[in-house]
Amino acid sequence: MTEDLYTRAAKIFRSDLEWGIHWPYEAAGLDWTLRKKDPERYRRELDAYTRQRTAIVEWAERYGLKKSRVTCCPWWLTRSTSRRCEFSKCTHHGSGEQISDHHWLDHAICWIKDGKPAVITSSPYDISYAENYEDRVPDYGRIKWWVDSNENLSVTFGKGWYGSSTTQVVMWRNDRIPVVEPGADGGWCELMRRSRQMAYHAA
């Protein structure tokens, strides 16, 4: 990772001397032991992660976003401060309402703008029907309910940066950011698949 990318990322994500940048899950899994064990594979996977990280940083910079320390449900977006729900009310982590948002909020990240809740991104593997819903309520219907119930919420869907056959869901406060587009596909998933295939055939 270049010094420029590190400096830019540090403004978006938490960082410390021990762990460096606190990347989201999908951008944090580089195996540093490959540097000595398999330098060629390390180079390929470093390139894949650098593309992934660049895609995330450029997307966040475009909208002036920083990653919140909070992970929560869309109720978080309705607040004026970045404050997590009480467990009994959260529809993501807790037991709020009779319908959960846990399924479509897979790999969720909460983003703040000027210290206020602004965007939630998630990357569910299948958002047609949530398998853990008792009545198999369509995720699209649930997501649409949030938008229809609050004029300040908007949503869009795209490929995003996670890959692995996921769909990126982007829900945001349209009174704080008029339009938000899905993140770009950094090609991480395909690059990692090729790298591991090459390592397998070389073994």
Side-chain angles (χ1 to χ4, degrees), residues 6 13 16 26 59 63 69 75 125 170 188 203:
Y6 186 96
F13 304 100
D16 56 51
E26 55 267 32
W59 178 86
Y63 301 107
R69 297 191 181 196
W75 288 124
Y125 289 93
V170 183
W188 169 82

Side-chain angles (χ1 to χ4, degrees), residues 44 53 76 80-81 83 108 119-121 134 143 148 154 167 170 186 189-190 193 202:
R44 293 194 304 267
R53 292 166 175 177
W76 175 80
S80 58
T81 59
R83 179 171 49 84
V119 182
I120 295 176
T121 57
E134 184 177 351
I143 294 168
D148 291 345
S154 295
T167 298
V170 183
C189 189
E190 179 61 22
R193 184 186 66 80

Side-chain angles (χ1 to χ4, degrees), residues 6 9-10 13-23 69:
Y6 186 96
F13 304 100
R14 285 190 298 151
S15 63
D16 56 51
L17 294 176
E18 182 178 4
W19 296 102
I21 302 294
H22 290 228
W23 292 102
R69 297 191 181 196

Side-chain angles (χ1 to χ4, degrees), residues 5 25-31 44-54 188 192 196:
L5 182 57
Y25 171 81
E26 55 267 32
L30 181 62
D31 184 356
R44 293 194 304 267
E45 297 194 4
L46 176 62
D47 178 60
Y49 274 101
T50 298
R51 293 190 189 194
Q52 180 87 332
R53 292 166 175 177
T54 300
W188 169 82
M192 291 294 287
R196 287 164 183 170

Side-chain angles (χ1 to χ4, degrees), residues 77 117-118 150-154 172-179:
L77 281 172
N150 193 316
E151 63 181 6
N152 291 328
L153 296 184
S154 295
W172 75 95
R173 279 284 297 259
N174 54 43
D175 57 334
R176 292 175 183 157
I177 308 177
V179 178

